[in-house]
Amino acid sequence: MFLVSRAAPARFSGTLLRGAICSPSSGGCRTGTGSSKLGGGEAPLLATRELNVAAAAASSSSTPSSSARRAFIPCSVKIIHVSRPCAYHDPLVTEWLDKARRYAKIEELRMPVNPVKAKDNADAATRAEGERVLKQLTASDFVVLLDERGRAPSSERLAEIVAEAGERCGGGGSSSSSSLAFVVGGPFGHAKGVQERADARISLSSLVLNHAVARVVLAEALYRAYTILKGVPYHH
């Protein structure tokens, strides 16, 4: 299940991220921000955060959906994260993203933590971080925030999100300015402006994850999603 946070761009207005449970809560990312679920119903993409729709059972199913394993057009992916370099986490992220890059163009963009030196002012630090995040997004990007307040998709559902994003952005080639953008917030979460820009919000765990750990989990989850789509014997 996902949280819808704003109307999606027209190019993403099909079945992408259907069947969500929506919530008015926002922000506080250690892990991202809300959306509608793909491939779960007949209704168009939800544009309202507070409208409740479908099906916990479908999102938690461990059985791959019939549409998950299919030909897909790889959409370019941006992972924007507020973090410091880390000798422990960075190599793990690189390992999984290098595997995922066999199937799609994936770009990592690191934003500095506390760029205004606001050690004792979390709001000011988060605003400054958010301004830098927003500069990395285009108007046509489909933006998914990671947030523990969302509900976690199954691996199959994430694969469907990735597949439909590719269909909607035309493959993210040189002629396309659209990307599927995942945003991982810093220690104090997402700035209000980033939350307002988001199209969707998901959680990687019912636990609150440190933002550095969330990057590792996201990188592996993306690789898993691509192997599901390609029928590579990794997910079981």
Side-chain angles (χ1 to χ4, degrees), residues 109-133:
L109 299 167
R110 172 179 269 125
M111 303 295 105
V113 176
N114 288 348
V116 294
K117 309 293 184 183
K119 182 177 180 181
D120 299 318
N121 190 333
D123 289 341
T126 302
R127 283 196 303 271
E129 292 163 1
E131 289 171 0
R132 297 186 181 217
V133 168

Side-chain angles (χ1 to χ4, degrees), residues 2 13 24-25 32 36 39 62 64 72 85 87 112 132 148 193 200 226:
F2 309 87
S13 63
S25 61
S36 45
S62 60
F72 76 103
R132 297 186 181 217
E148 77 276 7
Y226 288 121

Side-chain angles (χ1 to χ4, degrees), residues 7-182:
R11 70 188 312 138
F12 289 101
S13 63
T15 57
L16 180 64
L17 304 175
R18 281 189 264 170
I21 285 186
C22 306
S23 166
S25 61
S26 60
C29 166
R30 311 310 185 261
T31 61
T33 320
S35 79
S36 45
K37 179 167 57 183
L38 170 93
E42 314 303 331
L45 178 68
L46 297 176
T48 310
R49 290 169 61 176
E50 287 139 357
L51 179 64
N52 290 326
V53 290
S59 71
S60 61
S61 170
S62 60
T63 303
S65 68
S66 60
S67 62
R69 298 186 181 185
R70 62 184 185 183
F72 76 103
I73 304 169
C75 180
S76 62
V77 174
K78 289 191 284 196
I79 300 175
I80 304 170
H81 53 94
V82 178
S83 66
R84 296 183 177 89
C86 177
Y88 300 104
H89 298 100
D90 289 354
L92 292 172
V93 173
T94 298
E95 177 182 349
W96 291 113
L97 291 186
D98 282 348
K99 292 180 178 182
R101 288 184 179 111
R102 300 170 189 171
Y103 309 110
K105 177 184 176 182
I106 302 176
E107 181 182 16
E108 252 206 308
L109 299 167
R110 172 179 269 125
M111 303 295 105
V113 176
N114 288 348
V116 294
K117 309 293 184 183
K119 182 177 180 181
D120 299 318
N121 190 333
D123 289 341
T126 302
R127 283 196 303 271
E129 292 163 1
E131 289 171 0
R132 297 186 181 217
V133 168
L134 290 171
K135 289 179 181 178
Q136 305 303 318
L137 299 170
T138 70
S140 57
D141 286 343
F142 191 89
V143 181
V144 180
L145 267 61
L146 276 63
D147 191 333
E148 77 276 7
R149 292 171 175 82
R151 285 289 186 94
S154 67
S155 295
E156 291 80 14
R157 291 301 185 197
L158 182 60
E160 291 178 348
I161 292 168
V162 169
E164 183 138 343
E167 293 166 5
R168 296 292 169 183
C169 74
S174 58
S175 62
S176 174
S177 61
S178 299
S179 295
L180 175 59
F182 293 91

